[in-house]
């Protein structure tokens, strides 16, 4: 039984590794200020060395702007589904407080790489684990639900339009 499960996981891993790394933007969220509700949008403009044009961090109004801010945050859609299943918390309306939701990527593919997302080029900066501030803004248990899969910080290297449905290519 153990060997059957191991063999199934190995086959799944091999299938994932054979594909070219790429995905799709499934959602975009921005907030006007620290603690403000996230709102979904169909498109946004990535600004070089700033972030997303209508988001709190590009506007200089993010909670972590002085110490630990990220220009753009990204979370994998598959990780959101995992967190929803495990903890029963709704995560489809931006409660995770991340800017871009992307499907079809594997988190380790992103480390040290650049991503072409729509017209923009972003570079991976670091992981973005959830924190206590997330629980205060989005509700108790949110940080635990996301766990170590809280997302990634990206920096904008080439500005441009990003739309829901855009292809994401790891370069």
């Amino acid at each position: 039984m153990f060997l059957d499960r191991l063999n199934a996981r190995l086959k799944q891993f091999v299938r994932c590794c054979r594909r070219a790394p790429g995905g799709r933007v499934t959602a975009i969220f921005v907030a006007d200020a620290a603690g403000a509700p996230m709102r979904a949008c169909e498109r946004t403009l990535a600004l070089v060395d700033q972030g997303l044009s209508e988001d709190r961090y590009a506007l200089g109004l993010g909670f972590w702007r002085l110490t630990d801010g990220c220009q753009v945050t990204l979370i994998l859609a598959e990780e959101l589904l995992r967190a929803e299943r495990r903890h029963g918390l709704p995560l489809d309306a931006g409660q995770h407080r991340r800017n871009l939701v992307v499907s079809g990527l594997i988190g380790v593919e992103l480390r040290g790489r650049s991503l072409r997302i729509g017209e923009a080029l972003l570079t991976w900066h670091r992981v973005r684990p959830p924190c206590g501030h997330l629980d205060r803004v989005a509700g108790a248990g949110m940080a635990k639900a996301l766990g170590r899969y809280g997302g990634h910080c990206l920096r904008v290297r080439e500005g441009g339009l990003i739309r829901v449905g855009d292809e994401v290519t790891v370069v």
Side-chain angles (χ1 to χ4, degrees), residues 3 23 32 37 55 63 65 76 85 116-117 137 145-146 162 164:
L3 289 177
D32 299 328
D55 189 58
F63 182 79
R65 73 189 174 282
L76 303 175
R85 280 194 307 265
R116 175 68 63 187
I117 305 176
V137 174
L146 293 177
I162 298 174
V164 171

Side-chain angles (χ1 to χ4, degrees), residues 14-115:
V14 168
R15 277 195 307 271
C16 288
C17 291
R18 268 192 263 173
R19 67 174 174 74
R24 293 243 173 245
V25 175
T26 60
I28 301 170
F29 295 96
V30 294
D32 299 328
M38 298 295 280
R39 61 182 167 80
C41 49
E42 289 298 311
R43 64 180 166 261
T44 187
L45 185 62
L47 305 172
V48 174
D49 293 327
Q50 294 179 54
L52 304 180
S53 62
E54 299 175 47
D55 189 58
R56 62 209 182 273
Y57 284 99
L59 300 170
L61 302 172
F63 182 79
W64 297 108
R65 73 189 174 282
L66 299 176
T67 59
D68 195 29
C70 294
Q71 291 178 14
V72 178
T73 52
L74 177 146
I75 193 162
L76 303 175
E78 294 80 3
E79 297 301 346
L80 290 177
L81 290 173
R82 178 198 58 80
E84 283 180 339
R85 280 194 307 265
R86 283 183 145 176
H87 298 274
L89 294 173
L91 295 168
D92 58 341
Q95 299 93 326
H96 44 78
R97 309 227 22 108
R98 302 301 183 247
N99 297 124
L100 303 176
V101 179
V102 173
S103 65
L105 294 178
I106 299 172
V108 295
E109 292 177 337
L110 309 180
R111 292 176 186 254
R113 306 286 297 275
S114 293
L115 302 171

